[in-house]
Amino acid sequence: MATHLLIVDRRADFKWAKNNLQAVTTRDYITRPDAYRARAQRVINLSRSYTYLGYGYYSSLLAEARGDKIIPSVKTILDLSQKSIYRFALPELDELLRRRMRRLTQRPETSFSLYIFFGYTDDRRFRDLARKTFDLFRCPMLKVQMRLKDDWSIASIQTMDLDDLQPEQEADFEKALEAYTRTGWREPVVKRGNTYSMAILHNPREAMAPSNARALQKFVRAGEGLGMEVEMIEAKDYLRLTEFDALFIRETTALDHHTYRFAKKAEKEGLPVMDDPNSILKCTNKVYLAELLKANGLPAPRTLIIDKSRLALVPQQVDFPIVFKIPDGSFSRGIYKVHNRDELEATAEALFEESDVILAQEYMFTAFDWRVVIVNNEPIVACQYMMAKNHWKAVRHSSIGARPQQGAHRTLLVEETPRDVLDLAIKAAGLIGDGLYGVDIKENDNGLFVMEINDNPNLDAGIEDQGLKDELYRIILRDFIRRIEQSPRRETINRPELIPSVSLPVSDSNLWLSDESLHPEKILTH
């Protein structure tokens, strides 16, 4: 039986048939989860592209949701998408490059490229650099561009695909793949890196921010009472982030956005941060959440993950009306209800312009949605959000520029909230982490159903604080203080990637798997 799944766009892309390898297409892996659902599968994503919201991206995203061990992880994909994100690793790699260059009697003139396959390069001079680069960015194929200006440095780190392989490189790729898939996989040991100061990242111009201006000021006043200085910052304050001991993001989060870069930088610097990059990564995408809930057996509406090729099958499996969702909408945006085939085709066509994959979900009518706010795995408040007037969602978006219409609300203390609602919310939030989450639940005659897990839940003065009043803000800040005290600043941070554990004799052919590669320094990481 195959021990590794290799994800490719077409099976013909993979030429290296091995008994321990099974090639599957991106479309099959995404849209036929039951065919590849196994315990702790080892998956190598060799898609032609890892573009955000493309098939390659979703393959890694859903692998993580299913509990598979995947390279590259979505964090690695996002890290390598922009130099501004992977810049954190360049000083160490540049220093390694310069040390190597000083030892060489014959050096390249001004620039050259290093090709790395699973941490291996055929250029013996730079095998230590190849190993270190792979330790930081566990991607099957990488192209590292070096250049000489005032001194040698790394100009770029780029992902490669099978089409990029030159004929003379195929043997090296096969050798590296065979060695990598022969090894065991293990999780890295995490090295963890008191004034009290916290930055709250906000956008005063955001129309539907997760906290209104009054709530932000209540955080400031609550901080004063707890001995914590709370300061509002904006996107322009990125370089000031290290002045603080913690970061609280009160701006709508997205992956291709400065909120994610702030979260990444805070994590790198060892600052407690909510939302942390991992929570943003998982909660932002509804496709991931749908697969995560299914994989863990939590009740949720019937949901299909579809691409264009499977659109015609939707009415056979879900009754009208059907709800379509884009993967990364927020505040009820990007959610559409269709009543017939004509609406289905027209709506789907527009959504497929934005994403290779969308969600088709059964429609559930309820008079209100539950929202349970949880921090550190403890519920702190619950709300009932009523549907907007004459509408099927809690927030109604009309014409561009018009103010969204919101339904009424009812805020409950935890002790006033049904226990089964709280228990389901705690289980759902626990799938993401121990941060601050808002779990949306629908309730009907058939029971309770998890709709979403939000990494950036609303905390508005006059709504979520109706029951707890100012204690709501103190609860959040006390949890930040706990995190600051328990998590001193770290020189390195958690990178939940896959590290090969091997026991091969060291020789010229496998020098790249020697002791240094078995105990890589753990560096920082959606």
Side-chain angles (χ1 to χ4, degrees):
M1 182 177 178
T3 58
H4 291 79
L5 286 179
L6 280 82
I7 300 177
V8 292
D9 291 288
R10 300 175 305 177
R11 284 188 175 85
D13 293 341
F14 189 71
K15 309 174 184 178
W16 301 273
K18 306 283 183 183
N19 291 333
N20 66 329
L21 306 178
Q22 178 186 2
V24 301
T25 66
T26 53
R27 288 195 175 199
D28 279 354
Y29 186 76
I30 290 170
T31 62
R32 299 177 57 212
D34 293 337
Y36 304 105
R37 198 185 301 279
R39 190 167 53 186
Q41 286 198 113
R42 300 169 180 178
V43 184
I44 299 173
N45 186 350
L46 296 174
S47 304
R48 287 197 179 106
S49 172
Y50 303 124
T51 303
Y52 179 57
L53 300 185
Y55 283 112
Y57 175 88
Y58 276 115
S59 295
S60 286
L61 186 73
L62 295 181
E64 294 181 23
R66 296 168 187 171
D68 292 342
K69 297 182 177 182
I70 177 75
I71 65 165
S73 70
V74 176
K75 287 186 177 181
T76 297
I77 291 172
L78 292 170
D79 282 354
L80 292 173
S81 65
Q82 298 181 45
K83 190 173 182 179
S84 62
I85 298 179
Y86 68 73
R87 190 184 302 277
F88 73 83
L90 296 185
E92 181 180 12
L93 296 178
D94 286 344
E95 179 59 29
L96 191 58
L97 170 64
R98 291 163 187 163
R99 287 204 307 266
R100 175 57 59 189
M101 285 297 186
R102 287 194 288 269
R103 297 173 189 168
L104 298 181
T105 54
Q106 292 184 327
R107 303 185 183 95
E109 292 186 2
T110 57
S111 66
F112 69 100
S113 296
L114 188 68
Y115 297 91
I116 303 171
F117 308 136
F118 299 97
Y120 168 81
T121 180
D122 67 337
D123 192 331
R124 295 172 56 85
R125 301 171 300 173
F126 300 104
R127 285 181 174 169
D128 54 348
L129 181 61
R131 291 197 302 271
K132 177 58 66 178
T133 304
F134 184 64
D135 289 341
L136 291 167
F137 305 106
R138 308 194 78 75
C139 191
M141 295 183 284
L142 293 170
K143 177 182 177 182
V144 182
Q145 182 70 31
M146 325 289 188
R147 70 180 176 193
L148 175 63
K149 201 172 182 182
D150 296 329
D151 201 346
W152 282 99
S153 64
I154 293 174
S156 66
I157 304 174
Q158 299 173 322
T159 62
M160 296 175 58
D161 62 70
L162 294 173
D163 286 346
D164 295 326
L165 286 177
Q166 300 300 311
E168 63 272 16
Q169 294 176 316
E170 291 185 357
D172 286 333
F173 174 81
E174 183 178 12
K175 178 170 64 176
L177 172 66
E178 183 175 355
Y180 189 77
T181 54
R182 280 204 311 263
T183 69
W185 295 31
R186 63 180 174 84
E187 297 286 336
V189 176
V190 179
K191 290 176 63 179
R192 300 201 177 273
N194 258 298
T195 77
Y196 298 89
S197 64
M198 185 176 78
I200 294 184
L201 177 63
H202 79 305
N203 178 1
R205 294 162 294 282
E206 185 176 7
M208 296 191 69
S211 284
N212 56 25
R214 280 199 300 138
L216 296 178
Q217 288 307 310
K218 284 177 177 286
F219 275 116
V220 174
R221 290 196 294 271
E224 293 171 354
L226 294 172
M228 171 181 276
E229 182 180 355
V230 178
E231 181 178 340
M232 301 297 145
I233 64 171
E234 299 179 37
K236 60 183 175 60
D237 297 310
Y238 181 78
L239 296 179
R240 294 187 53 216
L241 193 54
T242 54
E243 299 174 13
F244 302 94
D245 298 299
L247 172 64
F248 190 22
I249 299 177
R250 291 282 82 198
E251 183 175 353
T252 302
T253 53
L255 291 175
D256 188 17
H257 192 249
H258 68 263
T259 49
Y260 184 75
R261 293 191 288 275
F262 267 78
K264 290 285 292 183
K265 182 173 177 63
E267 190 177 59
K268 170 187 179 293
E269 298 295 340
L271 307 181
V273 53
M274 292 192 288
D275 316 318
D276 63 278
N278 192 52
S279 295
I280 296 174
L281 170 63
K282 291 179 177 179
C283 292
T284 297
N285 194 287
K286 294 179 176 65
V287 171
Y288 178 93
L289 289 178
E291 192 71 13
L292 184 69
L293 295 172
K294 182 178 180 180
N296 287 275
L298 268 63
R302 179 165 177 73
T303 302
L304 304 179
I305 300 170
I306 63 168
D307 62 3
K308 289 181 181 179
S309 69
R310 299 181 69 84
L311 179 62
L313 301 177
V314 172
Q316 301 174 24
Q317 301 182 54
V318 183
D319 294 332
F320 287 109
I322 297 169
V323 176
F324 277 144
K325 295 182 177 182
I326 61 173
D328 53 359
S330 59
F331 292 107
S332 294
R333 290 177 290 225
I335 302 177
Y336 305 90
K337 184 168 64 171
V338 299
H339 299 83
N340 52 56
R341 286 184 176 272
D342 289 341
E343 289 183 4
L344 179 145
E345 292 175 2
T347 302
E349 181 179 1
L351 296 182
F352 282 129
E353 292 295 321
E354 300 182 42
S355 176
D356 285 344
V357 178
I358 62 175
L359 290 179
Q361 191 174 78
E362 70 172 305
Y363 171 65
M364 287 184 171
F365 170 79
T366 54
F368 64 86
D369 288 345
W370 282 105
R371 163 72 63 82
V372 180
V373 180
I374 291 176
V375 65
N376 191 31
N377 299 308
E378 292 289 338
I380 57 175
V381 70
C383 285
Q384 293 176 344
Y385 298 137
M386 315 301 171
M387 299 302 112
K389 186 176 181 180
N390 300 322
H391 201 57
W392 59 281
K393 294 184 291 186
V395 181
R396 181 178 186 176
H397 299 275
S398 51
S399 59
I400 296 176
R403 187 178 181 83
Q405 300 175 13
Q406 294 182 258
H409 68 276
R410 177 178 174 232
T411 304
L412 291 81
L413 297 174
V414 169
E415 53 267 29
E416 300 171 329
T417 307
R419 189 68 240 179
D420 55 349
V421 173
L422 296 176
D423 289 343
L424 180 57
I426 292 169
K427 288 179 183 177
L431 299 178
I432 305 298
D434 65 353
L436 174 66
Y437 308 108
V439 181
D440 292 347
I441 295 172
K442 280 189 179 290
E443 181 177 11
N444 60 27
D445 292 341
N446 294 318
L448 299 171
F449 300 87
V450 179
M451 303 302 292
E452 288 189 28
I453 308 168
N454 300 278
D455 65 292
N456 198 242
N458 283 65
L459 296 173
D460 280 326
I463 301 180
E464 284 78 17
D465 68 356
Q466 268 192 345
L468 289 171
K469 306 300 183 184
D470 291 347
E471 180 63 14
L472 173 68
Y473 308 99
R474 289 191 287 266
I475 289 172
I476 303 296
L477 295 187
R478 281 196 290 264
D479 192 69
F480 268 107
I481 291 172
R482 177 188 65 81
R483 292 168 191 265
I484 293 171
E485 292 176 342
Q486 293 182 0
S487 301
R489 293 204 175 194
R490 299 163 285 175
E491 295 179 359
T492 56
I493 74 166
N494 183 16
R495 185 179 187 83
E497 299 279 1
L498 309 172
I499 299 179
S501 175
V502 301
S503 55
L504 299 177
V506 177
S507 66
D508 286 347
S509 63
N510 58 39
L511 181 63
W512 59 285
L513 291 174
S514 63
D515 288 345
E516 184 178 346
S517 68
L518 304 187
H519 304 285
E521 199 172 337
K522 310 304 182 297
I523 313 295
L524 60 148
T525 51
H526 156 268

